[in-house]
Amino acid sequence: RVPGAHQHGWDESLYADGAPAADAPGEGSGHRRGGPRKRAKRGRRRVLKWVAAVVSLLIIGTAGAGYAYYRHLNANIKKDALNLGESAAPKPKANAAGQTPMNILLIGSDGRDTKENQKLGGAKSTFGGVPLADVQMLLHVSADRSNMSVVSMPRDTLVKIPKCTDKKGKVYAASTGVHLTNESLGRGGPGCTVATWESVTNIHIDHFMMIDFAGVVSMADAIGGVPVCVDANVHSRDRNGHGSGLKLTKGNHNIKGVQALQWLRTRYGFEDGTDLGRAEAQHQYMSSMVRQLRKGTKLSNPGQLMDLAEAATNALTVDDGPDGIGSVKKLYDLAEDLKKVPTKRITMTTMPNVYSQLQGFQGKVEPKPVDAEKLWSMVRDDIPLDGKPAQNKSVQKVSEDPAAAPGDTGVLVHNGTGTDGQLAAKGRATAVASALNAAGYTKAKSDKTLDPRDKTVITFPSAELEGDAQALAKSLGIPLSSVKKSTDVSGVTLTVGADWRTGSTYPKTAQDDKTPDSARALNGDEVKCMKIQPGYSF
């Protein structure tokens, strides 16, 4: 028997409820001072501190659990293939410290294929039907773990779904027209939702976590509720019976169980009554959950912890395989990594969108031109959405190392314009190198290296060349945020990205690193009340 407590915390999946956990007291008697009991107290304090540091949606851990129970919890976790598509977005490159960003797709399924889910409501015609990915959020954790971004894609977004092949070999042909993004889940499972996201955003996804209705309720009950606020009385129900049924009076409430599910599913009654308002409510819920967990936890006895452990592991479906997160230990390790991000550096956003003008798709949305791609580009380039530097110390600080004269600075130019399905612009590296020669960088030269990049970047291998790299950036009008240290180069290297396919002058407007206002950014420390839609108050 292994002494100690079973400690379990969990995040939520999209429209699920997040969960924390505390350590249960150790057992035993007759301990001497400074012995196991004192160590157990220190251990409990450490665990509680860990719980308070849990971020956003993902937390499952175990400490000191008996091996048999550990195996039982592992068996609870459901697993599925990560990507059912034929191609994947390129993995991001490591920074100079060898760190890479991490992307996790959080999926909420509306499947009503179990008695537990059917008891929670919905039309009987949907029972046993094809599940929909009614909530989809991309959780992006920066390479240095200093910040985190959450991007929602409204379930009513029109996209083209790629070809997907499920684990049994059944093929779902690529869509010829547009479909709602939530339909991707019914084409083989969560791996097709992952494939769809990668196709739309060109962002590599490392893991997914999925939960259903019953999982939302069980997790909400296990953690004791999450504080929310509404700016007026609300009842999400119209004369035709549409709505989640959520009924709250004006002000603050602690919601859990079915009420938490209602909050996360409410559309009628929030803001303009669309899926955009629902996404805002989900963001507020998750931000509040994070703040609540930082204050501590009410889970202080073994019974509550056991309930939480069972609820968390039974609720989850995650990616399998050798690199997957399909075990308690791997989820615990993931949580240890995620807890490094402070709440104030968590930014929640919604994909910029516009209402579709396509015939038959009134009320549905499409990615907003320019703004949506800009947001995806910022995520791909690991640029924080809160407008702050990636690290505690600004990565854009001007180097104290004096720059050499342009004529004494060697510059190697690469062609990185071949992205988003486009062929590389022919002769681009040569053209830019020639422009640099004319500007005084007489040692600039091109080579045949093709290094696809969405945005132009200048890299340098060591501190003594940082000043040279920054001086080059200044001469071209490239922001210092695009000057990065890299062990992949041997000298100052300019990689001309897809944002500079033509011309000898760098297009400065392409390098605005401010999150689009249309993404509706919400900071993790921001406390807000949901605006109630006229006609749904009482």
Side-chain angles (χ1 to χ4, degrees):
R1 180 175 177 214
V2 181
H6 175 94
Q7 166 253 321
H8 226 66
W10 186 71
D11 147 310
E12 87 174 339
S13 149
L14 317 182
Y15 59 165
D17 181 23
D23 203 337
E27 296 180 346
S29 60
H31 297 306
R32 294 173 296 175
R33 287 188 182 179
R37 177 172 293 172
K38 189 171 183 179
R39 289 194 296 271
K41 288 182 178 179
R42 288 199 299 267
R44 287 195 292 276
R45 285 196 295 269
R46 284 195 296 269
V47 171
L48 287 172
K49 183 178 180 181
W50 175 79
V51 171
V54 163
V55 291
S56 193
L57 318 166
L58 308 157
I59 291 296
I60 286 186
T62 185
Y67 182 61
Y69 190 60
Y70 175 81
R71 291 186 62 188
H72 164 72
L73 293 176
N74 274 339
N76 284 346
I77 302 170
K78 297 175 286 294
K79 296 177 281 291
D80 212 326
L82 174 61
N83 191 328
L84 299 178
E86 293 185 325
S87 60
K91 292 184 178 181
K93 295 183 178 181
N95 61 17
Q99 303 165 307
T100 55
M102 178 168 51
N103 297 304
I104 305 168
L105 187 62
L106 308 174
I107 305 170
S109 165
D110 79 340
R112 293 182 174 86
D113 51 357
T114 66
K115 292 182 179 179
E116 290 79 6
N117 283 320
Q118 292 169 3
K119 288 179 182 178
L120 294 173
K124 289 187 178 181
S125 60
T126 66
F127 289 6
V130 177
L132 300 172
D134 263 8
V135 183
Q136 301 171 37
M137 295 183 183
L138 181 68
L139 177 68
H140 171 84
V141 189
S142 66
D144 63 6
R145 302 307 187 250
S146 69
N147 66 91
M148 180 186 297
S149 303
V150 180
V151 184
S152 295
M153 183 184 293
R155 69 171 190 173
D156 292 340
T157 302
L158 297 174
V159 299
K160 288 189 175 181
I161 301 177
K163 176 182 176 182
C164 292
T165 305
D166 69 16
K167 297 175 72 173
K168 296 181 179 180
K170 182 177 180 179
V171 177
Y172 296 82
S175 64
T176 54
V178 294
H179 289 258
L180 298 183
T181 183
N182 64 355
E183 295 177 18
S184 58
L185 184 61
R187 296 176 177 245
C192 194
T193 303
V194 169
T196 301
W197 268 76
E198 292 204 2
S199 175
V200 171
T201 68
N202 199 34
I203 296 171
H204 176 78
I205 294 175
D206 301 283
H207 305 291
F208 74 79
M209 300 182 75
M210 184 172 72
I211 194 170
D212 59 15
F213 289 161
V216 173
V217 173
S218 64
M219 292 301 302
D221 288 341
I223 69 169
V226 172
V228 297
C229 178
V230 289
D231 69 357
N233 296 347
V234 61
H235 186 201
S236 177
R237 185 74 72 197
D238 67 13
R239 66 183 61 184
N240 297 316
H242 298 142
S244 70
L246 178 72
K247 190 173 185 178
L248 295 173
T249 56
K250 177 181 178 180
N252 299 306
H253 297 270
N254 190 63
I255 60 173
K256 59 183 179 179
V258 173
Q259 200 171 48
L261 175 62
Q262 290 175 331
W263 176 277
L264 293 164
R265 297 191 63 229
T266 293
R267 179 175 63 179
Y268 299 106
F270 282 165
E271 296 198 346
D272 61 355
T274 69
D275 200 44
L276 306 181
R278 171 161 42 200
E280 180 70 13
Q282 292 164 356
H283 292 165
Q284 291 188 22
Y285 178 93
M286 290 186 291
S287 293
S288 178
M289 180 185 67
V290 172
R291 291 191 299 270
Q292 188 77 350
L293 295 179
R294 297 284 178 150
K295 294 177 183 177
T297 178
K298 296 179 180 179
L299 299 173
S300 57
N301 67 66
Q304 287 177 304
L305 294 171
M306 297 281 278
D307 289 344
L308 178 57
E310 291 291 340
T313 52
N314 273 306
L316 287 174
T317 299
V318 301
D319 52 294
D320 61 9
D323 298 323
I325 52 175
S327 73
V328 171
K329 181 183 184 304
K330 288 185 176 181
L331 288 166
Y332 176 80
D333 291 342
L334 176 62
E336 283 288 284
D337 204 20
L338 294 175
K339 75 171 188 177
K340 300 172 185 176
V341 182
T343 308
K344 64 182 180 181
R345 296 301 310 276
I346 299 173
T347 305
M348 298 185 181
T349 62
T350 300
M351 178 198 76
N353 57 84
V354 294
Y355 285 110
S356 176
Q357 300 301 311
L358 294 175
Q359 186 67 30
F361 290 101
Q362 287 75 16
K364 310 307 178 185
V365 300
E366 299 174 359
K368 185 176 182 179
V370 182
D371 281 9
E373 175 52 33
K374 180 181 178 183
L375 188 67
W376 301 137
S377 177
M378 292 178 71
V379 173
R380 286 193 297 265
D381 292 341
D382 201 21
I383 298 172
L385 299 186
D386 60 5
K388 300 175 183 178
Q391 304 176 39
N392 293 330
K393 183 178 180 181
S394 174
V395 295
Q396 299 185 37
K397 181 180 178 182
V398 176
S399 174
E400 297 178 357
D401 179 59
D408 296 327
T409 302
V411 181
L412 188 63
V413 184
H414 290 169
N415 187 345
T417 58
T419 62
D420 294 331
Q422 300 182 91
L423 294 176
K426 189 175 181 180
R428 196 73 194 106
T430 300
V432 172
S434 296
L436 285 174
N437 289 161
Y441 282 91
T442 54
K443 291 186 177 181
K445 61 180 181 179
S446 64
D447 69 10
K448 296 182 180 180
T449 299
L450 296 178
D451 184 11
R453 303 275 185 139
D454 293 303
K455 298 171 76 172
T456 298
V457 65
I458 297 174
T459 49
F460 61 94
S462 56
E464 57 266 23
L465 290 177
E466 183 177 21
D468 297 347
Q470 289 189 354
L472 174 64
K474 184 177 180 180
S475 70
L476 292 171
I478 296 174
L480 294 187
S481 60
S482 294
V483 179
K484 302 176 181 180
K485 185 178 179 181
S486 172
T487 56
D488 292 334
V489 296
S490 57
V492 176
T493 302
L494 169 62
T495 303
V496 182
D499 59 344
W500 192 11
R501 291 179 62 88
T502 61
S504 58
T505 302
Y506 182 72
K508 298 179 182 180
T509 55
Q511 286 291 316
D512 177 10
D513 286 344
K514 180 181 179 297
T515 300
D517 292 338
S518 55
R520 306 180 67 180
L522 177 70
N523 183 268
D525 276 345
E526 188 175 353
V527 179
K528 294 181 66 176
C529 290
M530 277 302 298
K531 294 181 179 179
I532 301 309
Q533 182 184 11
Y536 287 87
S537 190
F538 63 91

